[in-house]
């Protein structure tokens, strides 16, 4: 195809369509409530990329009979790498200054993964929830989508080359590509639908469950759209329908939905309608998509996408809780992205020195990437050096993960398919059982020592995110842990078998909004309180039937941010990380009130650390002795819980006496 023909094919409406992708994504990340489904803008980018890249590859084959793989990848490098390297190189030191030293190694790793286009794989392996807005978001989180797209760029031309090779022997290239793309579409879409309910993170981040969006667009790129869409009315209808479908997805999809799965068909179908309708005669919306503002936003969309998220994250760190500041950061990022587009992205993309030589492009891209790796290595080394110095050393120790459910270093008691830990004095004649979720787990060392001091045999059993009450719990997507219900049943069987003298219950109260009905649907909020109440009362009745005493460890204050991470930021004092008691009760207040009401009515012994952590209505992250109180946002540190051993021993003794 001649350059003149290529110019005729150029579709400015597609550039304008990119504004429909970037604006919702940026608005969603800035916290805009009016488009809760703004995250689907990434899918719009995918479909557009699949359509454009397939079109360009097929045109090159039909023009020259081959695909110049090195030239193709060199163009991708010149288009993507310069702006990306700049953003990561600027973001990393700023992020290190603003964030916890504890996270420097993670940030260095994420920066390297970003410039190597494997951030999506890293975030999947780290079990990073893209929709978690609890604070501490990575400034590189948005790089996951670039990883998926670059992996597509790596694989797709190889598929086309394989089709060329086979077509010379058997069938036409387009026919073979239709079969190949159709197979990829079918398998990948089926995989997405199957994996999404089971492992939402894998389905969200990884190419195999996203490839169908590129492949479906590739199928459309093989169609002679100008011969198929000849009516202005049909073209207008398709484009308008595409806008309507996209708006529906933006308004009605939310981060609580299981995504991508079949729901990703909404942005996919919407974008396909826009591409197909736009491939025919000029339609009613052509002036909109080809307008200078829409095309300009589309042109700068890549640089804007790169810059918007780090600036929003930094704004949230400096001015926490301010939605207006996040909105201003989003607007500012457009200006920064435009500067990046005009002074970095475009000049290097078309620089004669690079354009004339694929080898120079590759060498330059590798050199720039190595520079970022060296910066990341420096941050990694500096962070590890700082963590060997007090008080950061003690903060790092406090931030160690909650012990696994297993019984490392303890006697094991077989319970069904699982086990319980025998702690305290294994030969003691008085048996106390502690059950609950991870908010029992963080008390393990302290209860162990208290039981030893009292001469009690301690049976300790807990499971993360699985409260001891018989209440169905779902995560943010409404997905239940299938091991939770059996775990509770086996715990009840264990208590019935060992007949303890006392049972201590310790659960988190932060499950409000996560209670499900018997069909797995989220209960209305007012019904969740009653479900929790019924669960508490049922468990207390079961323990009473055993003739055992019972006590409840009330949930500890929950900071609105990670206090250990706050303490380990450069230049921060413990006073800077304090929070009002009311804010620390916000996430646990609903079920805390219900639990307190039930145990007060039954005269059940309770244990609280509210006064120790939050004297004078301010919750502090460090004790009077300089010990970090918290391990993370919700869990207590091992060293601080050990300061409560005398009180825990008294609690157990009182519970045994009541039995």
């Amino acid at each position: 195809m001649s350059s003149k023909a290529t110019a005729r094919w150029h579709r400015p409406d597609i550039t304008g369509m990119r504004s429909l992708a970037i604006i919702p994504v940026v608005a969603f990340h800035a916290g805009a409530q009016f488009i809760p489904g703004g995250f689907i803008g990434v899918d719009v980018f995918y479909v557009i990329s699949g359509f454009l890249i397939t079109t360009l590859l097929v045109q090159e084959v039909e023009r020259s009979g081959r695909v110049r793989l090195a030239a193709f990848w060199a163009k991708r490098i010149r288009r993507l790498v310069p702006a990306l390297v700049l953003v990561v190189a600027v973001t990393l030191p700023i992020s290190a200054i603003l964030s916890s030293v504890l996270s420097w190694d993670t940030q260095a790793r994420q920066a390297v993964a970003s410039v190597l286009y494997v951030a999506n794989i890293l975030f999947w392996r780290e079990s990073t929830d893209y929709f978690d807005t609890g604070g501490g978001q990575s400034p590189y989180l948005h790089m996951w989508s670039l990883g998926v797209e670059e992996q597509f760029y790596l694989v797709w031309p190889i598929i086309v080359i394989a089709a060329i090779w086979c077509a010379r022997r058997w069938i036409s290239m387009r026919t073979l590509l239709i079969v190949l793309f159709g197979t990829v579409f079918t398998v990948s879409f089926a995989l997405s639908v199957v994996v999404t309910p089971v492992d939402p993170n894998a389905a969200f981040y990884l190419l195999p469950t996203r490839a169908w969006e590129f492949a479906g667009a590739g199928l459309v790129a093989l169609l002679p759209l100008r011969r198929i869409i000849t009516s202005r009315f049909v073209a207008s209808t398709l484009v308008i329908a595409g806008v309507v479908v996209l708006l529906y997805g933006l308004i009605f999809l939310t981060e609580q939905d299981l995504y991508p799965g079949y729901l990703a068909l909404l942005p996919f179908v919407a974008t396909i309608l826009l591409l197909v309708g736009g491939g025919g005669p000029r339609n009613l919306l052509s002036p909109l998509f080809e307008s200078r503002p829409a095309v300009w936003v589309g042109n700068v969309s890549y640089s804007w996408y790169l810059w918007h998220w780090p600036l929003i994250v930094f704004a949230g760190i400096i001015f926490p809780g301010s939605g207006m500041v996040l909105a201003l950061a989003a607007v500012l990022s457009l200006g920064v992205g435009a500067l990046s587009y005009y002074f970095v992205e475009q000049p290097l993309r078309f620089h004669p020195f690079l354009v004339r030589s694929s080898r120079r492009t590759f060498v330059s891209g590798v050199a720039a990437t190595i520079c970022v790796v060296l910066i990341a290595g420096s941050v990694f080394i500096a962070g590890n050096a700082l963590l060997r110095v007090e008080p950061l050393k003690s903060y790092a120790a406090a931030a160690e993960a909650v012990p696994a459910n297993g019984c490392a270093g303890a006697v094991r008691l077989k319970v069904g398919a699982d086990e319980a830990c025998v702690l305290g004095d294994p030969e003691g004649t008085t048996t106390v059982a502690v059950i609950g979720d991870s908010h029992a787990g963080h008390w393990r060392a302290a209860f162990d020592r208290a039981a030893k001091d009292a001469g009690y045999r301690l049976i300790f059993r807990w499971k993360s995110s699985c409260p001891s009450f018989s209440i169905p719990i779902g995560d943010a997507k409404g997905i239940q842990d299938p091991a939770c219900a059996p775990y509770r049943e086996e715990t009840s069987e264990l208590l019935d078998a060992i007949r303890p003298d006392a049972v201590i219950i310790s659960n988190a109260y932060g499950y409000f909004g996560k209670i499900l009905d018997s069909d797995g649907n989220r209960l209305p909020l007012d019904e969740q309180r009653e479900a929790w109440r019924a669960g508490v009362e049922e468990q207390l009745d079961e323990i009473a039937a055993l003739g055992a005493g019972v006590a409840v460890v009330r949930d500890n204050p929950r900071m609105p941010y990670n206090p250990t991470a706050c303490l380990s930021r450069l230049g921060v004092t413990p006073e800077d990380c304090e929070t009002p008691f009311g804010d620390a009760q916000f996430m646990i207040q609903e079920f805390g009130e219900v639990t307190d009401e039930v145990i007060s009515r039954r005269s059940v012994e309770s244990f609280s650390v509210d006064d120790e952590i939050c004297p004078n209505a301010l919750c502090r992250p460090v004790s009077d002795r300089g010990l970090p109180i918290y391990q993370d946002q919700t869990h207590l540190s091992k060293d601080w819980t050990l300061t409560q051993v005398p009180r825990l021993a008294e609690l157990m003794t009182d519970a045994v006496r009541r039995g």
Side-chain angles (χ1 to χ4, degrees):
M1 183 178 291
S2 68
S3 60
K4 186 177 294 186
T6 302
R8 280 200 305 270
W9 179 84
H10 174 66
R11 287 179 50 179
D13 66 309
I14 293 181
T15 304
M17 286 177 199
R18 287 196 174 102
S19 62
L20 290 181
I22 184 62
I23 293 174
V25 170
V26 174
F28 173 76
H29 284 158
Q33 300 296 316
F34 59 92
I35 46 171
F39 56 89
I40 68 175
V42 171
D43 300 83
V44 177
F45 276 128
Y46 287 166
V47 178
I48 290 175
S49 291
F51 180 84
L52 288 177
I53 296 302
T54 303
T55 299
L56 294 174
L57 289 171
V58 170
Q59 285 181 350
E60 182 177 359
V61 171
E62 293 178 342
R63 181 177 67 248
S64 63
R66 64 191 181 97
V67 171
R68 295 181 302 159
L69 201 55
F72 173 83
W73 284 335
K75 287 180 180 178
R76 295 299 95 202
I77 290 172
R78 291 194 299 272
R79 169 77 171 85
L80 301 174
V81 170
L84 172 65
V85 166
L86 174 65
V87 170
V88 176
V90 171
T91 296
L92 187 52
I94 296 175
S95 181
I97 292 171
L98 293 177
S99 61
S100 164
V101 177
L102 299 176
S103 70
W104 283 15
D105 58 343
T106 299
Q107 293 193 41
R109 188 166 57 249
Q110 292 172 351
V112 172
S114 296
V115 296
L116 295 180
Y117 293 100
V118 292
N120 59 320
I121 298 174
L122 178 64
F123 287 125
W124 165 63
R125 289 181 61 86
E126 292 180 344
S127 300
T128 303
D129 184 356
Y130 176 79
F131 299 104
D132 181 12
T133 56
Q137 297 101 329
S138 166
Y140 311 101
L141 184 58
H142 63 317
M143 299 296 184
W144 77 270
S145 64
L146 301 183
V148 172
E149 195 156 350
E150 189 64 17
Q151 291 155 25
F152 158 72
Y153 291 147
L154 186 66
V155 172
W156 212 238
I158 296 176
I159 293 178
V160 174
I161 290 173
I164 297 170
W165 185 84
C166 294
R168 290 171 178 168
R169 290 159 175 75
W170 300 307
I171 58 178
S172 73
M173 181 193 68
R174 282 183 177 263
T175 301
L176 186 56
L177 286 178
I178 289 173
V179 173
L180 289 174
F181 293 174
T183 300
V184 172
F185 177 89
T186 303
V187 173
S188 174
F189 180 70
L191 192 63
S192 178
V193 171
V194 171
V195 172
T196 296
V198 179
D199 190 347
N201 272 356
F204 189 87
Y205 285 123
L206 300 182
L207 179 62
T209 49
R210 292 287 192 163
W212 64 273
E213 299 181 73
F214 299 100
L219 285 171
V220 173
L222 296 173
L223 301 176
L225 295 179
R226 289 203 175 277
R227 292 205 298 270
I228 296 174
I229 310 298
T230 58
S231 165
R232 185 170 185 266
F233 173 78
V234 172
S236 297
T237 301
L238 291 173
V239 172
I240 292 172
V243 172
V244 171
V245 173
L246 184 61
L247 287 175
Y248 179 88
L250 293 172
I251 295 171
F252 292 104
L253 286 180
T254 71
E255 58 194 66
Q256 279 77 42
D257 290 314
L258 285 172
Y259 197 86
Y262 67 90
L263 291 177
L265 283 171
L266 280 170
F268 172 80
V269 170
T271 312
I272 291 296
L273 290 171
L274 292 171
L275 291 169
V276 172
R282 284 182 61 79
N283 58 78
L284 288 176
L285 297 185
S286 292
L288 174 63
F289 289 122
E290 296 176 9
S291 65
R292 291 183 65 180
V295 170
W296 183 82
V297 170
N299 280 328
V300 304
S301 61
Y302 173 63
S303 283
W304 188 13
Y305 182 82
L306 288 176
W307 284 105
H308 86 281
W309 182 239
L311 292 181
I312 288 174
V313 170
F314 296 158
I317 293 173
I318 299 170
F319 303 100
S322 175
M324 180 61 69
V325 169
L326 298 186
L328 291 174
V331 174
L332 175 63
S333 68
L334 174 58
V336 177
L339 292 174
S340 178
Y341 173 78
Y342 288 115
F343 294 103
V344 177
E345 182 182 334
Q346 287 297 91
L348 292 178
R349 180 182 181 185
F350 298 109
H351 197 287
F353 177 81
L354 299 175
V355 172
R356 284 196 295 264
S357 170
S358 294
R359 179 178 297 178
R360 291 176 193 161
T361 298
F362 285 118
V363 171
S364 300
V366 170
T369 301
I370 290 175
C371 288
V372 173
V373 172
L374 292 174
I375 295 172
S378 300
V379 170
F380 180 88
I381 293 170
N384 279 274
L386 287 171
L387 292 178
R388 288 194 287 268
V389 180
E390 293 291 355
L392 291 177
K393 184 178 180 180
S394 64
Y395 300 155
E400 291 179 358
V402 175
N405 289 334
C407 298
V411 177
R412 291 169 168 79
L413 182 65
K414 191 67 176 175
V415 182
D418 214 301
E419 61 189 13
C421 311
V422 182
L423 304 172
D425 180 1
E427 305 302 323
T429 57
T430 299
T431 299
V432 176
V434 176
I435 60 174
D437 57 14
S438 63
H439 282 224
H442 64 201
W443 286 107
R444 171 177 158 168
F447 267 114
D448 182 22
R449 186 171 298 178
K452 280 188 175 74
D453 293 345
Y456 294 154
R457 176 174 178 253
L458 180 66
I459 307 299
F460 205 92
R461 181 168 163 83
W462 65 276
K463 183 174 178 58
S464 182
S465 301
C466 181
S468 59
F469 313 135
S470 296
I471 302 173
I473 299 291
D475 61 13
K477 303 289 186 184
I479 299 174
Q480 295 186 63
D481 179 355
C484 188
Y487 194 89
R488 290 176 179 135
E489 293 173 4
E490 291 170 356
T491 299
S492 295
E493 293 170 4
L494 168 69
L495 295 178
D496 188 55
I498 66 174
R499 294 283 170 165
D501 297 280
V503 178
I504 312 293
I505 302 169
S506 181
N507 291 301
Y509 295 162
Y511 295 104
F512 191 60
K514 298 180 180 180
I515 308 296
L516 310 177
D517 61 21
S518 57
D519 296 324
N521 300 312
R522 206 178 304 274
L523 278 175
L525 295 181
D526 57 338
E527 295 181 26
Q528 293 198 20
R529 290 174 60 95
E530 295 310 310
W532 184 268
R533 184 194 312 277
V536 174
E537 292 183 334
E538 180 184 7
Q539 183 157 72
L540 293 177
D541 288 339
E542 289 176 356
I543 295 171
L546 297 173
V550 63
V552 172
V553 176
R554 294 169 60 196
D555 198 10
N556 52 272
R558 177 175 299 207
M559 296 293 209
Y561 48 80
N562 187 330
T564 309
C566 178
L567 288 168
S568 52
R569 286 167 54 190
L570 298 179
V572 169
T573 66
E575 290 74 21
D576 295 327
C577 300
E578 293 178 344
T579 194
F581 178 72
D583 293 346
Q585 290 291 308
F586 178 74
M587 292 297 295
I588 64 175
Q589 183 174 356
E590 293 288 343
F591 289 158
E593 290 176 351
V594 173
T595 305
D596 288 348
E597 177 189 332
V598 173
I599 63 178
S600 64
R601 183 161 29 88
R602 291 176 174 244
S603 300
V604 171
E605 194 72 27
S606 68
F607 174 89
S608 171
V609 292
D610 287 357
D611 292 339
E612 283 75 14
I613 296 177
C614 308
N616 304 318
L618 274 180
C619 297
R620 45 187 193 157
V622 177
S623 72
D624 293 334
R625 294 168 50 190
L627 289 174
I629 295 173
Y630 284 87
Q631 178 187 84
D632 56 28
Q633 189 171 350
T634 73
H635 296 97
L636 302 173
S637 72
K638 174 183 173 181
D639 287 344
W640 186 82
T641 61
L642 289 173
T643 67
Q644 303 298 304
V645 165
R647 297 184 63 215
L648 292 176
E650 183 180 349
L651 177 74
M652 287 191 290
T653 300
D654 288 344
V656 169
R657 189 180 301 119
R658 288 171 177 267

